[in-house]
Amino acid sequence: MNIPNSEQLFSRAQHSIPGGVNSPVRAFKSVGGTPLFIKKAKGAYLFDVDGNKYIDYINSWGPMILGHAFEPVVEAIQKKAADSTSFGAPTELEIEMAELIKSMVPNVDLVRMVSSGTEACMSAIRLARGYTGRNKIIKFEGCYHGHADSFLVKAGSGVATFNIQTVPGVTAGVAADTLTAPYNDIDAVQQLINQHKNQIAAIIIEPVAGNMGCILPQQNFLEDLRKICTEEDIVLIFDEVMTGFRLAQGGAQERLKIDADLVTYGKVIGAGMPVGAFGGKFEIMQHIAPLGNVYQAGTLSGNPIAMIAGFTLLNHLKNNPGIYTELDEKGAYLRKELFTVLDKANIPVTINQIGSMISVFFTHRAVNNFADASSSNITTFNKFFHAMLEQGIYLPPSGYESWFLSNALSYDDLNETINATAKAASSLL
Ligand SMILES: *Cc1c(COP(=O)(O)O)cnc(C)c1O
């Protein structure tokens, strides 16, 4: 791949943007090399500023579940923009969006729109604290809930990728209210609760983790969490920013048949526009201003362009449930075939997959928590990443990220990816 234009833009960007990027993982810092500057994308494919074409497994880190520039979404945005891009006053479209979300996620009574996943999680935690009158929260090592101060403790995503142990700027006081347990370790959670009786407002979790690579909850883990939270009056928050509207129309809650008290959304919900949401039981949600006193607001919350994009995508997903079956089949096929070619080449590998989320860990160990994910060979991952990129396959530039499939991927695209992996395998040993 020749990427002179990307190289030139990346070097120019250093002079005006910190590290040349507006979000850290984009910089390719851990895998090395120059990030691709993207010109456009359509369906399953990305095109960089040098005219190279790639099969996209990032899909904007999740939103593009039906592929890029999905025509109904593009048309709806264009049409809506002519009526102005924001009012800062209520619109009927916001009700339609909330009603659509409620129809897809039955245990959401009320839902508040925000502009990012970070905002959704940050607001959900404030609400849980306001509702319970307690201060502490429990999160899981390697889970990422956005970049609000209280979540940057043992966080996943870029924090894990860059191995940042403590984030400067997060005060010790804030950090002390965030307790952490290993993912899939219910005994550790029980111990924290015993040590901090009646002090824990919420447990927040990615019901399927995607920010330390894709890690599935083990048998009974979420069921036990649910039980403990009910017994201890702790608000159970499912961070479905990744899994929402991706693993099923009702997200991980539907797929894994467990109800959280509050749920947060982002990514798919905005179809690539800056959108997040949090919602849940009326009993808790009624404490949000202006119904209650837990303050939360946003100048651009419920923005009409963002709403029409998200509404159009979610409505399409709701009316075409077969999409989830197709994504499941594509995900399972990719996992099986990737495992076959890597195993045949004697590469130690574990592949975790559920629906359209998949991760390749270069380790023999089963990967059930952050320590397992960290045991995988990062040097091998980096070689794999570049060998794939050379062949036109665009993977997340970190071993601590899930890949996201879009339903625009054809079996030809998947087979091309599998063949590229077979070729890459020889350079990995
Ligand atoms: C991406 C992500 C977030 C943060 O969302 P932003 O829109 O980037 O602020 C929060 N939680 C999870 C699980 C995510 O994957």
Side-chain angles (χ1 to χ4, degrees):
M1 278 302 158
N2 278 326
I3 53 164
N5 291 334
S6 280
E7 282 164 356
Q8 200 238 325
L9 289 174
F10 191 48
S11 121
R12 179 174 146 209
Q14 307 295 327
H15 300 286
S16 55
I17 302 172
V21 291
N22 279 315
S23 196
V25 176
R26 294 179 197 168
F28 280 26
K29 202 172 155 187
S30 69
V31 290
T34 305
L36 302 176
F37 279 65
I38 305 304
K39 182 152 189 194
K40 60 176 185 180
K42 181 70 192 164
Y45 312 117
L46 279 182
F47 300 87
D48 70 12
V49 288
D50 291 285
N52 300 307
K53 178 182 172 186
Y54 305 86
I55 300 177
D56 188 9
Y57 285 95
I58 299 184
N59 282 296
S60 187
W61 304 95
M64 302 305 178
I65 190 167
L66 298 182
H68 289 277
F70 182 59
E71 264 146 41
V73 170
V74 173
E75 276 166 27
I77 291 172
Q78 284 171 338
K79 203 159 149 248
K80 203 76 189 162
D83 293 336
S84 181
T85 49
S86 182
F87 315 111
T91 58
E92 186 176 359
L93 178 57
E94 290 164 87
I95 311 171
E96 288 172 340
M97 183 68 167
E99 288 172 349
L100 178 60
I101 293 168
K102 283 183 55 156
S103 75
M104 295 173 83
V105 192
N107 68 332
V108 165
D109 298 328
L110 293 177
V111 59
R112 170 62 58 84
M113 302 308 302
V114 295
S115 302
S116 68
T118 296
E119 261 188 274
C121 295
M122 180 183 88
S123 308
I125 288 290
R126 184 184 307 132
L127 173 57
R129 285 176 166 150
Y131 169 70
T132 58
R134 301 171 178 176
N135 290 340
K136 293 195 186 298
I137 61 166
I138 295 176
K139 75 176 280 291
F140 294 87
E141 290 168 20
C143 280
Y144 181 72
H145 306 293
H147 63 90
D149 287 359
S150 53
F151 301 129
L152 294 178
V153 179
K154 298 201 176 163
S157 190
V159 184
T161 301
F162 301 139
N163 196 20
I164 301 173
Q165 296 298 325
T166 44
V167 176
V170 174
T171 65
V174 167
D177 280 335
T178 302
L179 309 171
T180 61
Y183 201 81
N184 278 321
D185 187 343
I186 200 70
D187 294 339
V189 174
Q190 190 61 63
Q191 216 173 339
L192 287 174
I193 292 172
N194 295 343
Q195 283 163 0
H196 303 273
K197 245 339 192 202
N198 300 322
Q199 294 175 55
I200 295 165
I203 296 180
I204 185 167
I205 186 165
E206 294 178 60
V208 170
N211 283 289
M212 44 181 159
C214 175
I215 295 183
L216 277 62
Q218 286 177 299
Q219 193 76 43
N220 293 328
F221 176 59
L222 294 177
E223 286 83 349
D224 290 345
L225 264 190
R226 176 63 277 178
K227 214 164 123 234
I228 291 176
C229 284
T230 306
E231 285 166 7
E232 303 283 338
D233 293 319
I234 294 169
V235 178
L236 178 61
I237 305 173
F238 274 7
D239 178 352
E240 296 231 40
V241 171
M242 250 183 208
T243 53
F245 311 103
R246 173 166 286 279
L247 292 185
Q249 73 162 6
Q253 289 197 112
E254 176 186 323
R255 184 149 188 153
L256 306 173
K257 299 189 179 65
I258 298 168
D259 281 1
D261 300 311
L262 291 178
V263 203
T264 62
Y265 296 106
K267 301 195 168 114
V268 173
I269 200 172
M273 296 296 285
V275 181
F278 64 101
K281 290 182 180 168
F282 180 81
E283 187 199 334
I284 304 176
M285 288 298 289
Q286 67 177 336
H287 292 271
I288 281 285
L291 260 188
N293 288 336
V294 179
Y295 198 72
Q296 188 282 329
T299 302
L300 297 179
S301 294
N303 171 276
I305 311 302
M307 289 303 97
I308 199 67
F311 180 86
T312 306
L313 180 60
L314 296 194
N315 203 37
H316 191 90
L317 292 171
K318 184 183 170 182
N319 293 330
N320 297 277
I323 287 169
Y324 292 106
T325 318
E326 288 173 32
L327 281 169
D328 282 3
E329 286 166 3
K330 287 175 187 178
Y333 176 77
L334 190 63
R335 172 181 53 179
K336 181 167 159 278
E337 298 300 321
L338 289 181
F339 185 82
T340 303
V341 295
L342 289 167
D343 191 53
K344 211 165 108 192
N346 292 315
I347 315 275
V349 69
T350 291
I351 304 182
N352 288 353
Q353 174 258 338
I354 176 170
S356 54
M357 293 169 66
I358 180 168
S359 280
V360 174
F361 298 96
F362 291 103
T363 176
H364 265 318
R365 237 158 108 167
V367 179
N368 294 315
N369 59 35
F370 185 67
D372 295 334
S374 304
S375 79
S376 62
N377 190 324
I378 290 297
T379 314
T380 306
F381 178 84
N382 292 351
K383 280 192 213 163
F384 176 63
F385 169 82
H386 282 291
M388 295 298 277
L389 193 64
E390 273 299 308
Q391 298 178 80
I393 315 289
Y394 189 68
L395 303 176
S398 164
Y400 291 110
E401 301 284 358
S402 176
W403 312 3
F404 297 104
L405 307 195
S406 81
N407 208 35
L409 284 164
S410 66
Y411 279 87
D412 281 349
D413 296 325
L414 297 175
N415 288 332
E416 194 175 327
T417 307
I418 292 150
N419 291 338
T421 301
K423 277 199 196 149
S426 59
S427 65
L428 299 183
L429 280 173

